[in-house]
Amino acid sequence: MLQLYSIENIIFALEIVGTITFAISGATLGLEKGMDLMGITILGLTTGVGGGIIRDLIVGQTPPLTFRNPIYLIVSIITSVIVFLPPVRKWIFSKSTLYEMLMLVMDSVGLGVFTVSGIQAGYAATSIHGVILLSFVGVVTGVGGGVLRDMMAGDRPYIFVKHFYASASLIGAIFCTVLWNNIDQRIAMTGGAAIILVLRLMAARYRWSLPKANPDRNTSDS
Amino acid sequence: MLQLYSIENIIFALEIVGTITFAISGATLGLEKGMDLMGITILGLTTGVGGGIIRDLIVGQTPPLTFRNPIYLIVSIITSVIVFLPPVRKWIFSKSTLYEMLMLVMDSVGLGVFTVSGIQAGYAATSIHGVILLSFVGVVTGVGGGVLRDMMAGDRPYIFVKHFYASASLIGAIFCTVLWNNIDQRIAMTGGAAIILVLRLMAARYRWSLPKANPDRNTSDS
Amino acid sequence: MLQLYSIENIIFALEIVGTITFAISGATLGLEKGMDLMGITILGLTTGVGGGIIRDLIVGQTPPLTFRNPIYLIVSIITSVIVFLPPVRKWIFSKSTLYEMLMLVMDSVGLGVFTVSGIQAGYAATSIHGVILLSFVGVVTGVGGGVLRDMMAGDRPYIFVKHFYASASLIGAIFCTVLWNNIDQRIAMTGGAAIILVLRLMAARYRWSLPKANPDRNTSDS
């Protein structure tokens, strides 16, 4: 029973949740762009495992974990195929409030999980454990899959458009690193991921946004 | 004579063919986009050596082979400059049936070669030789150069638009890995590359395509 | 006093100049695209440290230096925030001759510095010191941050549009490598960077351009 709540198991379970939600976001974007089954699966897979691959390349963990332990890859492929099934895709295209809510929550969980797992990989790979460095690795891991997804699909990356996405990841990453250095790894990872989830939900509820420069100058860009 | 047909020589010859054809596809896209000689060479070079560089970064072979053995790099540059020569580019822009046929065959050879060379690099780098993992490394290597080319030129990657491109690479990759584990490396690589070539030619001849979701919803996207 | 002019100090000072100028170019593009403060900072950071990260991934230096020594990262972030300040951004949007001149000079310094620092990293990482290989690593390092910036912002990379940008980097890289092998490292790096700066300024002054194919065919593309 203690085994079940080990830090490894918690991270693994959270990473699977994150992989599923990221794969859904990639496959759904593929659907919206009119791609075929293979394109949808590639985009789902890229989004699902992309953040982890970027993390592993940066910390020098080659071949990336995705290639050693195929579970993330298989989960991403199955998720993408399920998204393609007519009843599922019909429900996705309905853009119901439930769907929008679910996607917001799941995507925020994914952002939180990959941010803290990136920090964990950073701790394992380097001997200098500064807040700035580890937070940066965390954010890159958290938003990397989504950036790859948008660049491949020809959209401007989500992180430049969606207010308080990378910002939430950054705040959670700093929180996680400070707690890690001063209290406990398990509390740090759970707390960091939880803060990212809460910040994202509050940002969506209260329509938070960051300052922009001369918005009227850039009307052609929205 | 036996030396000539060694597995290393066969792979090398096939990789040179692949490099030339990928460089042509990159340089031609540069021509079509109105780039100058340097832009055309950069795009030809990226397409020619990009798949191999991605493969080497993933399996942890740094600096990538391209930087140790400059032959692929030199071949890509010379190919790009030849594509730029007025008689050659005039012939390319004529879009004759012969040109289209040649490009289809050569691009399919390149896809086949880089897919199986990616699998070979995957075998050399990891001790776990599962079909899923190795196939994935193979596909990433096969389609990577073309994805970089399209992302840099501002087009949606070919693999999302061209039916049965990544799919052919995937089927050949699985075939190659299964044969490699059960029969012989040489047969596996030749057979895998050949299957990819045949699938691509049949897909072009019979206009194969994969299922798409609600194509009428996405008319603005074609 | 000698210490001050050591090769390490010269490289470091030049890299900081390069990081600042690249961060300005990224943050300014973010401003022009109507991004918020976080988006502007991400784009400034990507441009400022992107070339160095690509260089380190290619030569196998993981985690990249940026993650070990946070100075480049901090400089990029501070620069991006300063660009966002109303008086600064007003001056940038004025597009005065002084601003255009400053950006040309500083961007050219950045291109020169990162090209030669890429060559230095290439020397340290490989035992084969051929001109072609090292020049290529240098050019990739020099133009990499800008290519990442443009791909993330959804623009066609600068190197395909701006005449004599990658070409200047390439000529300086070859010059640097030849001098390095035959004379002295310090002269090679200073000379290589200086040649890139001079070539860029002359190209801007005399409007150099490379041959293009059938420009009238591609009017829709400019």
Side-chain angles (χ1 to χ4, degrees):
Chain A
M1 199 61 181
L2 267 174
Q3 201 76 13
L4 190 67
Y5 292 103
S6 70
I7 189 74
E8 286 79 17
N9 284 351
I10 291 170
I11 293 162
F12 176 74
L14 291 173
E15 282 190 338
I16 292 296
V17 172
T19 302
I20 291 173
T21 53
F22 280 16
I24 291 174
S25 80
T28 303
L29 185 60
L31 272 177
E32 286 170 359
K33 296 271 176 183
M35 293 179 187
D36 64 22
L37 181 55
M38 189 71 186
I40 286 164
T41 306
I42 292 173
L43 210 53
L45 188 57
T46 303
T47 319
V49 305
I53 289 178
I54 293 174
R55 175 197 63 206
D56 291 346
L57 291 182
I58 285 176
V59 301
Q61 165 76 51
T62 53
L65 281 177
T66 310
F67 297 96
R68 292 171 185 268
N69 181 358
I71 183 71
Y72 307 103
L73 207 129
I74 293 168
V75 163
S76 296
I77 291 172
I78 292 173
T79 302
S80 302
V81 172
I82 289 173
V83 165
F84 186 76
L85 296 177
V88 179
R89 93 169 84 118
K90 195 180 162 190
W91 182 64
I92 286 173
F93 277 138
S94 75
K95 302 278 178 199
S96 63
T97 312
L98 177 62
Y99 166 76
E100 300 282 4
M101 283 281 293
L102 259 178
M103 278 309 290
L104 172 66
V105 174
M106 290 167 72
D107 189 73
S108 304
V109 169
L111 182 66
V113 174
F114 283 111
T115 302
V116 299
S117 88
I119 291 169
Q120 188 192 33
Y123 269 105
T126 69
S127 48
I128 313 156
H129 294 155
V131 172
I132 294 173
L133 304 191
L134 289 165
S135 302
F136 190 47
V137 177
V139 174
V140 168
T141 309
V143 307
V147 170
L148 274 183
R149 173 197 63 208
D150 295 341
M151 286 173 72
M152 288 180 74
D155 284 2
R156 179 172 308 165
Y158 197 68
I159 52 166
F160 293 132
V161 181
K162 198 81 182 178
H163 304 306
F164 227 77
Y165 193 82
S167 307
S169 169
L170 179 61
I171 292 169
I174 292 170
F175 186 85
C176 173
T177 318
V178 171
L179 253 61
W180 195 304
N181 285 339
N182 296 298
I183 304 183
D184 174 78
Q185 181 188 353
R186 197 187 302 189
I187 294 171
M189 292 187 73
T190 319
I195 257 192
I196 292 168
L197 175 62
V198 170
L199 283 174
R200 285 280 299 134
L201 296 184
M202 288 180 69
R205 175 72 185 78
Y206 297 106
R207 301 185 181 283
W208 289 352
S209 68
L210 289 169
K212 277 172 85 170
N214 300 4
D216 46 322
R217 281 192 65 109
N218 303 287
T219 44
S220 66
D221 201 68
S222 60
Chain B
M1 198 62 181
L2 267 174
Q3 202 77 11
L4 189 68
Y5 292 104
S6 71
I7 189 72
E8 286 79 18
N9 285 350
I10 292 169
I11 292 163
F12 176 73
L14 291 173
E15 282 190 338
I16 292 297
V17 172
T19 302
I20 291 172
T21 53
F22 280 15
I24 291 174
S25 80
T28 303
L29 185 60
L31 273 178
E32 286 169 358
K33 296 272 175 181
M35 293 178 188
D36 64 22
L37 180 55
M38 190 70 186
I40 286 165
T41 306
I42 292 173
L43 209 54
L45 188 57
T46 303
T47 319
V49 306
I53 289 178
I54 294 175
R55 174 197 64 206
D56 291 346
L57 290 182
I58 285 177
V59 302
Q61 164 78 48
T62 53
L65 281 177
T66 309
F67 297 94
R68 292 171 185 269
N69 181 358
I71 183 73
Y72 306 103
L73 207 129
I74 293 169
V75 163
S76 296
I77 291 172
I78 292 174
T79 302
S80 302
V81 173
I82 290 175
V83 165
F84 186 76
L85 297 177
V88 178
R89 94 169 83 118
K90 195 179 163 192
W91 182 65
I92 285 172
F93 276 138
S94 74
K95 300 280 178 196
S96 63
T97 313
L98 176 62
Y99 167 75
E100 299 283 4
M101 282 282 294
L102 260 178
M103 278 308 290
L104 172 66
V105 173
M106 290 167 73
D107 190 72
S108 304
V109 169
L111 182 66
V113 173
F114 283 110
T115 302
V116 300
S117 88
I119 291 169
Q120 189 193 32
Y123 268 105
T126 69
S127 48
I128 312 155
H129 294 155
V131 172
I132 294 173
L133 304 190
L134 290 166
S135 303
F136 190 47
V137 177
V139 173
V140 168
T141 309
V143 306
V147 170
L148 274 183
R149 174 196 63 208
D150 296 341
M151 286 172 73
M152 287 181 74
D155 283 1
R156 178 172 308 164
Y158 197 66
I159 53 167
F160 293 132
V161 181
K162 198 80 183 179
H163 302 308
F164 228 77
Y165 193 81
S167 307
S169 170
L170 180 60
I171 293 170
I174 293 171
F175 187 85
C176 172
T177 318
V178 171
L179 253 62
W180 193 305
N181 285 339
N182 295 296
I183 303 182
D184 174 79
Q185 182 189 353
R186 195 187 304 190
I187 294 171
M189 292 188 72
T190 320
I195 256 190
I196 291 168
L197 175 62
V198 169
L199 283 175
R200 284 281 299 134
L201 297 184
M202 288 179 68
R205 175 72 185 79
Y206 297 107
R207 301 184 181 282
W208 288 352
S209 70
L210 289 170
K212 278 172 83 172
N214 300 2
D216 47 321
R217 282 191 65 108
N218 303 287
T219 42
S220 66
D221 200 68
S222 60
Chain C
M1 197 63 179
L2 268 174
Q3 200 77 11
L4 190 69
Y5 292 104
S6 71
I7 188 73
E8 286 79 17
N9 285 351
I10 292 168
I11 294 163
F12 176 73
L14 291 173
E15 283 189 339
I16 292 297
V17 172
T19 302
I20 291 172
T21 52
F22 280 16
I24 291 175
S25 80
T28 304
L29 185 60
L31 273 178
E32 286 170 358
K33 297 269 175 183
M35 293 178 187
D36 63 21
L37 181 55
M38 189 71 186
I40 286 164
T41 307
I42 292 173
L43 210 53
L45 188 57
T46 303
T47 318
V49 304
I53 290 178
I54 294 175
R55 174 197 65 206
D56 291 346
L57 290 181
I58 284 177
V59 302
Q61 165 76 49
T62 53
L65 281 177
T66 310
F67 296 95
R68 292 172 186 269
N69 181 359
I71 184 71
Y72 306 103
L73 207 129
I74 292 168
V75 163
S76 296
I77 291 171
I78 292 173
T79 302
S80 303
V81 173
I82 290 175
V83 165
F84 186 76
L85 295 177
V88 179
R89 92 170 84 119
K90 195 181 163 191
W91 182 64
I92 286 172
F93 276 139
S94 74
K95 300 279 177 199
S96 64
T97 313
L98 176 63
Y99 167 76
E100 299 283 4
M101 282 282 293
L102 260 178
M103 278 309 290
L104 172 67
V105 173
M106 290 168 72
D107 190 72
S108 304
V109 169
L111 182 66
V113 174
F114 283 111
T115 302
V116 299
S117 89
I119 291 169
Q120 188 192 34
Y123 268 104
T126 69
S127 48
I128 312 156
H129 294 155
V131 172
I132 294 173
L133 305 191
L134 289 166
S135 303
F136 191 48
V137 177
V139 174
V140 168
T141 309
V143 306
V147 170
L148 274 182
R149 173 197 62 207
D150 296 341
M151 286 172 72
M152 287 181 74
D155 283 2
R156 178 172 307 164
Y158 197 68
I159 53 166
F160 293 132
V161 181
K162 198 80 181 177
H163 303 308
F164 227 78
Y165 193 82
S167 307
S169 169
L170 180 60
I171 292 169
I174 293 170
F175 186 85
C176 172
T177 319
V178 171
L179 252 62
W180 194 304
N181 285 339
N182 295 298
I183 303 181
D184 174 78
Q185 182 189 352
R186 196 187 304 189
I187 295 171
M189 291 188 74
T190 319
I195 256 190
I196 293 168
L197 175 61
V198 170
L199 284 174
R200 285 280 299 133
L201 297 184
M202 289 179 69
R205 175 72 185 81
Y206 297 106
R207 300 184 182 282
W208 289 351
S209 70
L210 289 169
K212 276 172 84 172
N214 300 3
D216 47 321
R217 282 190 65 108
N218 303 288
T219 44
S220 66
D221 201 66
S222 61

